[in-house]
Amino acid sequence: MLAHPGDFAEWRDAARGLLAGGVAPEDVSWRSADEGASLFGGTAPLAAPGTVALPRELLAMADRVICHRDAAVPARLYRIVWRAARDLQLLARRTDPDIDWLRKADKAIRRDVHKMHAFVRFRRLGEDAGRESFAAWFEPDHRILRLTAPFFQRRFYGMDWAIVTPDARAIWHKEALVYGAGGTKDEVPDSDVVEDQWRTYYGAIFNPARVKVDAMRAEMPKKYWKNLPEARDIAPLLAAAEARVERMREAAVSMANPLTDKWRTRVADELLLDDDIQTLADVARAVDRCNRCPIRCNATQGVAGEGPADAQIMLVGEQPGDQEDLQGRPFVGPAGQALDQALAEAGLDRKRLFLTNAVKHFKYEPRGKRRLHQNPTAGEIDICRWWLDKERALVQPKLIVTLGGSALRGVMGKNMSVTSMRGAVHELAGGAKLVATIHPSFLLRLPDRTRAAEERAMFVADLAQARALAA
Ligand code: URA
């Protein structure tokens, strides 16, 4: 009799005792507490668990598959371990009906775990002594809470939370994880402010030109929609997709052909001497002709910094992207839009900032008709520092905000960790201050939405700190 369906340790101890006692699978009747009493009334005493050598992979699978809702699972798993103890190659026999069943059941559990990781949505409950608390309701197909809770523990270590499912609940409180009885949906609030963030985020990442409804349904099956705040926007977004694609097509900038006239007729580079460069306009002209490193060969043009010559804050990015390369201006593509939104939220006016990059040409790898961004090497950043230093000398900002690792290297002249420098204010030689934060394109790449919302909030906080410092 298993008192806790889905509890691996309980099943394992029982199976060990039965194996040690030499009890054949056909002589065992497995029951679980939620099925009621056994036909035969009681539980036979088990032999003391002995040592049975079983493949590690089999135990790992049994640990997951025991969470399967099928009531026949404990018996079927026992039959498999019984056979595996006598046949070391059993797991490799993929056509064996038991092994075929085991692998399919394991796949179902892993898929359920993956969906739970992706679709749990926390609702804010409140705050207690500076710690925020959240709760989420979720209905997994199987009893997988034990398998998924450690993921949420790692991810949301710094807040208190509870995940309630029909079978059990996991509670992370004051840095201890405990499990309790199952619950109902109405224990968890229906909506909160975080919900709006989800919906805005989903709307922003929804790409109308890449709509694949079948793939979307496979990844986000309809049964999960009822607990997903963003799901109610799917139908309107899909309905508007075609018109949005048409508008995108009309507004599209066609990709520059590297063999355009501009490229072929570019004047031979003169070696620009320090003294020739007196203004930001000189920098912009000269950057376009720079051939100190090979990146410029395939770029459409050099992209110098932009903004008032007396700006108090200088924002340094990595390098121009596809759109910046075509338009000749920094931060005008998707990362630029993410940056603009964050700046607005932090109360910073882009027009009053000087925006530039550590590297002034777009480095990419051609892939079909697309140009895929490539990170500049440390050597390329170091070569390009000559331009960044010129811009710094001309603008003389009070505060420099570096966006990402390349920018930090560009300013500091050596590899430094953004994570360890973030959150503090650093003094630079010459008196300016430095604040290091992430690159906005990092936010666009985060697949996990909760994490993206958190990272975005921290990014806005960094920018707000910069505004306060400069003021
Ligand atoms: N990313 C950058 O680092 N800089 C830009 O100008 C655009 C995208």
Side-chain angles (χ1 to χ4, degrees):
M1 173 69 84
L2 297 173
H4 307 287
D7 179 350
F8 179 64
E10 189 188 23
W11 173 86
R12 184 195 54 205
D13 290 348
R16 272 191 186 150
L18 292 165
L19 284 178
V23 185
E26 51 278 18
D27 295 332
V28 190
S29 158
W30 292 84
R31 295 259 134 195
S32 68
D34 55 3
E35 285 177 280
S38 152
L39 259 185
F40 307 108
T43 297
L46 299 175
T51 316
V52 183
L54 290 170
R56 198 184 287 267
E57 188 194 353
L58 173 56
L59 289 177
M61 282 199 218
D63 183 16
R64 292 188 289 266
V65 170
I66 196 71
C67 302
H68 203 289
R69 236 176 247 293
D70 181 351
V73 163
R76 195 135 195 195
L77 278 179
Y78 181 61
R79 187 163 81 210
I80 293 172
V81 293
W82 170 269
R83 292 183 58 205
R86 286 155 183 79
D87 172 3
L88 290 178
Q89 296 308 312
L90 180 66
L91 214 48
R93 301 188 207 291
R94 287 175 177 260
T95 53
D96 181 283
D98 276 340
I99 299 305
D100 181 50
W101 168 84
L102 177 69
R103 293 198 182 274
K104 285 191 178 128
D106 188 36
K107 196 164 167 199
I109 297 293
R110 282 187 284 122
R111 184 177 157 83
D112 204 25
V113 166
H114 171 73
K115 296 291 175 210
M116 183 159 175
H117 287 167
F119 296 138
V120 161
R121 296 286 180 270
F122 285 102
R123 263 81 198 208
R124 191 168 185 277
L125 297 180
E127 195 176 326
D128 182 24
R131 244 176 117 82
E132 286 190 297
S133 54
F134 293 82
W137 164 250
F138 196 75
E139 294 165 83
D141 287 343
H142 302 285
R143 300 184 184 97
I144 53 168
L145 188 60
R146 174 178 63 80
L147 301 180
T148 53
F151 166 85
F152 294 102
Q153 178 185 349
R154 284 193 302 278
R155 194 44 74 76
F156 303 113
Y157 195 89
M159 63 196 213
D160 289 336
W161 51 259
I163 301 176
V164 184
T165 76
D167 310 294
R169 71 187 58 205
I171 300 170
W172 174 248
H173 181 56
K174 298 200 172 145
E175 302 189 355
L177 183 62
V178 290
Y179 293 93
T184 55
K185 187 174 164 69
D186 31 283
E187 288 181 58
V188 175
D190 229 9
S191 65
D192 70 357
V193 279
V194 183
E195 177 155 337
D196 288 340
Q197 289 178 8
W198 276 112
R199 297 181 57 196
T200 312
Y201 176 77
Y202 188 76
I205 61 160
F206 180 87
N207 182 346
R210 294 262 171 97
V211 177
K212 293 204 175 76
V213 179
D214 291 343
M216 207 169 95
R217 287 230 174 88
E219 185 49 33
M220 201 199 247
K222 260 194 148 160
K223 67 178 175 190
Y224 296 108
W225 289 18
K226 60 180 185 292
N227 294 320
L228 294 177
E230 65 270 34
R232 79 181 83 126
D233 296 328
I234 294 177
L237 284 169
L238 282 178
E242 210 174 307
R244 276 180 69 192
V245 172
E246 202 39 54
R247 283 202 300 278
M248 277 162 69
R249 227 177 255 137
E250 280 162 14
V253 183
S254 56
M255 193 184 118
N257 177 346
L259 295 179
T260 53
D261 283 349
K262 180 167 169 81
W263 190 82
R264 265 187 274 125
T265 57
R266 188 175 264 168
V267 279
D269 302 288
E270 308 118 48
L271 184 64
L272 287 154
L273 299 175
D274 241 352
D275 290 349
D276 293 338
I277 297 171
Q278 302 291 344
T279 64
L280 289 169
D282 294 339
V283 171
R285 226 174 358 97
V287 149
D288 192 36
R289 299 176 183 185
C290 175
N291 66 356
R292 287 162 196 249
C293 82
I295 301 185
R296 68 74 64 105
C297 294
N298 296 319
T300 311
Q301 56 194 312
V303 180
E306 156 182 298
D310 60 353
Q312 304 214 333
I313 306 181
M314 174 182 273
L315 252 63
V316 184
E318 183 192 65
Q319 62 166 341
D322 181 73
Q323 288 300 311
E324 289 79 12
D325 169 81
L326 296 172
Q327 299 185 35
R329 295 181 54 209
F331 286 106
V332 289
Q337 282 162 21
L339 176 65
D340 285 349
Q341 280 175 13
L343 286 174
E345 275 177 51
L348 282 166
D349 179 0
R350 172 172 171 147
K351 291 197 287 300
R352 300 185 60 187
L353 309 174
F354 192 85
L355 262 62
T356 190
N357 284 299
V359 169
K360 308 294 193 226
H361 281 96
F362 177 34
K363 180 175 178 185
Y364 65 91
E365 188 192 330
R367 185 76 58 80
K369 287 191 176 169
R370 298 175 60 217
R371 306 188 295 171
L372 299 187
H373 165 277
Q374 279 195 312
N375 293 330
T377 62
E380 287 156 354
I381 297 172
D382 292 346
I383 292 173
C384 219
R385 180 171 320 106
W386 193 84
W387 295 110
L388 185 58
D389 284 348
K390 275 266 162 259
E391 290 176 323
R392 281 176 63 183
L394 288 165
V395 179
Q396 299 204 356
K398 272 193 194 165
L399 177 69
I400 297 184
V401 181
T402 55
L403 308 172
S406 301
L408 189 56
R409 179 171 180 114
V411 174
M412 302 299 289
K414 56 184 173 183
N415 269 352
M416 307 284 285
S417 141
V418 176
T419 320
S420 47
M421 288 187 67
R422 198 172 182 190
V425 183
H426 306 269
E427 292 278 343
L428 294 171
K433 292 189 176 9
L434 176 135
V435 165
T437 185
I438 53 145
H439 193 282
S441 63
F442 170 63
L443 302 174
L444 304 177
R445 290 194 302 266
L446 285 175
D448 182 276
R449 294 161 190 190
T450 312
R451 167 110 193 272
E454 286 170 358
E455 289 290 350
R456 195 169 173 283
M458 288 198 283
F459 181 52
V460 171
D462 288 340
L463 296 175
Q465 182 200 21
R467 179 179 55 100
L469 275 169

